[in-house]
Amino acid sequence: MKNGLIIFLGVFATLAVSWAGLLLGAHKQIGSLPQFKDPIEQTLNPAPLSGIADQGRLVYQDLGCATCHTQQVRYAGFGADIERKWGERGSFARDYIREQSVLIGSSRLGPDLRNVAARPYASAEFFHGLLYAPESVAPGTNMPAHKFLYEVRSLNGSQSSYKALKLSGTHAPAEGSEVVPTYRAEALVAYLMSLKDTYNYPDEQGLNAPAPAKEGGH
């Protein structure tokens, strides 16, 4: 074909420019954002992840939690996330700058977890119960158990560990034994407890403003 090379170069240049634009656009949106210093409290937001929470992020990634859970609260008018109490506001790009890899997910077989630590029931005890025996704290849930993150061990007459899960009924271990979290479970729970984007950045507040009503609309 006479103009084959020209067409090939044109297609290649188009794809290259599009790809570069996608990367540069994302970098401009997120990569250059600094932490915001609260002028009154003098705190930096978002706060960096603690060491164990950052390791828990890797456990979250390794277990594929993003397969069933997203981490992005949609703005009012773009879904029912706010009505579901999944967050007090839509997610901002600045919320994610502390994470080396953003586990935003794409499927919602379970609830969005971006602000799970801000919910009234959120506690380390609740999350351990949810991971070991989901039905023990959330009856009717479709969440699979992650018992491999816990160790069932015999007490042999010794005192129970302060880390032992408080389980009752059919979920309780056999008499004389206890269920304790492994380090991976503790790290994962620390990460879940870090998912709390409640600071309302002044520069981004407008993103959550209600959409203006259309003139002549009903």
Side-chain angles (χ1 to χ4, degrees), residues 9-25:
L9 291 176
V11 171
F12 179 79
T14 301
L15 293 175
V17 170
S18 300
W19 185 69
L22 182 65
L23 291 181
L24 293 175

Side-chain angles (χ1 to χ4, degrees), residues 182-203:
T182 63
Y183 184 79
R184 292 182 77 205
E186 292 186 84
L188 179 56
V189 168
Y191 175 63
L192 294 173
M193 288 297 294
S194 76
L195 297 176
K196 190 176 183 180
D197 295 330
T198 55
Y199 192 86
N200 208 10
Y201 301 98
D203 292 345

Side-chain angles (χ1 to χ4, degrees), residues 113-126:
L113 299 181
R114 191 61 205 174
N115 276 282
V116 70
R119 293 169 194 163
Y121 56 78
S123 68
E125 181 179 346
F126 173 84

Side-chain angles (χ1 to χ4, degrees), residues 63-139:
L63 295 178
C65 301
T67 303
C68 299
H69 298 279
T70 56
Q71 286 194 33
Q72 182 181 30
V73 180
R74 292 175 293 189
Y75 300 141
F78 290 88
D81 292 6
I82 305 299
E83 289 78 5
R84 289 169 171 162
K85 308 297 183 184
W86 285 355
E88 297 176 356
R89 60 167 174 77
S91 296
F92 300 146
R94 198 186 301 268
D95 293 332
Y96 303 95
I97 62 173
R98 65 181 186 173
E99 300 171 31
Q100 294 182 359
S101 56
V102 178
L103 303 170
I104 203 165
S106 60
S107 178
R108 286 179 161 178
L109 296 178
D112 186 276
L113 299 181
R114 191 61 205 174
N115 276 282
V116 70
R119 293 169 194 163
Y121 56 78
S123 68
E125 181 179 346
F126 173 84
F127 289 129
H128 280 303
L130 186 66
L131 289 168
Y132 180 77
E135 287 278 348
S136 67
V137 295

Side-chain angles (χ1 to χ4, degrees), residues 13 20 27 32 58 81 110 117 119 132-133 136 146 150 157 165 167 180 191:
H27 177 74
S32 61
L58 298 178
D81 292 6
R119 293 169 194 163
Y132 180 77
S136 67
H146 291 66
Y150 295 84
L165 272 59
L167 300 165
V180 293
Y191 175 63

